[in-house]
Amino acid sequence: MLGVRFLCNRTTPTAVYSYTTLAKTMCKELKTRVLRLVPQTANGPTVPNGVKQPDWQEVLETTVTSLKEGQVVAVPTDTIYGLAALAQSSEAVRKVYDIKGRNGQKPLAICVGEIDDIYRFCKVTVPEALLRDLLPGPVTLVLERSEALNSDLNPFTPLVGVRIPNHTFIRRLAQMCGGPLALTSANISSQTSTVAVEEFRDLWPRLAVVVDGGSIGGQTPECRLGSTVIDLSASGRYRVIRPGCALPTTVEILEQKYRLSRETENH
């Protein structure tokens, strides 16, 4: 069974329990579950002999349960750590803004598990091959939203950014939830993005689950840039909203393969 840490509201240090022991020791003060994903290798899990391997399915099921209860969780992506909630739950979306201290006029992206899911929540006007060339990957594509998306999510804009991170856990999480996740960086607004769970420990008490996937990338500033955000809502052209970590390769695909023109600020 998986190893789980619970963060209490008490002033005592975070305790570490085995999963089987937790059922006997839980109390009402226990709040945040910190679940560790153990990397897999060709020879099995990278854990010492005698240490029980965490089960990804159990971590997924626990995280899905919290999300469906309207809670906010922290998860690893292919770029930085993110805060996630059910995009179709207006209450959960409000919690994300409250936890981050985020300006209500700044939009949240959505995360889905597969390319086909994009067509449910966005009006796609670019070739499907373009989507598949960029996703899954460290890119957020801004498209016109469809009527199926929660009207309380970014009600001030007809557009929405959509992500499919190149990360098995969060993709499977979105699939198991049966709908899009509202996704944003795991940090207080205006603060540095995070590549390890300890870097946003101040947010833990307000989260139902923290999924620890280890350190993401390296410690260079470039590793904290987040996804490259591209607006594809206008026919025949694109606009860079945020350069992020994958701009050169993204631009090459858009311009060389699909002949899109870059929209400038003075367009």
Side-chain angles (χ1 to χ4, degrees), residues 10-32:
R10 298 172 177 173
T11 57
T12 54
T14 300
V16 181
Y17 301 91
S18 70
Y19 191 80
T20 52
T21 306
L22 283 173
K24 301 177 182 178
T25 57
M26 287 164 60
C27 63
K28 290 184 179 180
E29 288 88 349
L30 295 176
K31 191 172 184 180
T32 303

Side-chain angles (χ1 to χ4, degrees), residues 94-174:
R94 284 192 290 270
K95 287 180 181 178
V96 173
Y97 278 94
D98 184 48
I99 289 171
K100 279 184 65 76
R102 187 175 179 86
N103 184 324
Q105 295 301 305
K106 294 185 67 174
L108 298 177
I110 62 171
C111 169
V112 297
E114 299 292 343
I115 295 291
D116 290 345
D117 297 326
I118 297 177
Y119 290 85
R120 293 174 56 196
F121 302 102
C122 301
K123 297 177 181 179
V124 181
T125 58
V126 296
E128 181 176 331
L130 184 155
L131 300 181
R132 295 189 180 278
D133 279 340
L134 295 176
L135 302 172
V139 180
T140 300
L141 299 181
V142 177
L143 304 165
E144 185 178 352
R145 61 193 290 153
S146 76
E147 291 76 11
L149 191 61
N150 179 12
S151 59
D152 288 335
L153 179 77
N154 312 335
F156 43 84
T157 175
L159 307 178
V160 67
V162 60
R163 283 215 69 199
I164 304 179
N166 188 19
H167 194 288
T168 302
F169 181 84
I170 191 170
R171 290 184 64 191
R172 183 62 183 142
L173 185 65

Side-chain angles (χ1 to χ4, degrees), residues 20 32 86 88 104 110 119 166 177 204 216 219 241:
T20 52
T32 303
L86 294 186
Q88 300 298 78
I110 62 171
Y119 290 85
N166 188 19
C177 285
W204 288 13
I216 301 173
Q219 295 300 317
I241 296 178

Side-chain angles (χ1 to χ4, degrees), residues 52-69:
K52 197 68 174 178
Q53 173 195 355
D55 186 326
W56 274 45
Q57 187 63 27
E58 289 185 68
V59 178
L60 281 164
E61 290 173 357
T62 300
T63 309
V64 168
T65 296
S66 292
L67 286 167
K68 290 186 174 181
E69 290 173 349

